[in-house]
Amino acid sequence: MYARQPVCFRLRDADHDALLALAERAGVGHSTLARRIVEHYIKEHAPRNRRGR
C-alpha cells in the first residue's frame, strides 16, 4: 500500500471548470482525475528506474 499524502493547489476558474468537465466525461471525480494527471506526468518525466536520480 502507498502513503496517502494530500497535495493542494489552486486553479484558475477556467481550468477548474475544464477539470470538472473532463472528470465528468471520464466518469471519475475531479480529485481522482487531477491525481491521475499528476501520476502520469511523474511517470513520464521522472521514471523510478532511471539511474542517478
Side-chain angles (χ1 to χ4, degrees):
M1 187 148 161
Y2 56 91
R4 294 178 183 259
Q5 301 291 333
V7 175
C8 300
F9 54 92
R10 289 184 277 282
L11 293 174
R12 289 183 218 101
D13 289 341
D15 292 336
H16 181 259
D17 293 343
L19 178 64
L20 293 176
L22 289 168
E24 187 174 334
R25 281 186 13 204
V28 297
H30 65 284
S31 293
T32 297
L33 182 58
R35 178 179 47 83
R36 288 181 180 176
I37 291 167
V38 170
E39 289 171 346
H40 177 76
Y41 186 92
I42 290 170
K43 182 179 176 185
E44 292 297 313
H45 296 279
R48 294 182 182 175
N49 61 356
R50 188 181 288 176
R51 293 182 185 196
R53 296 237 172 184

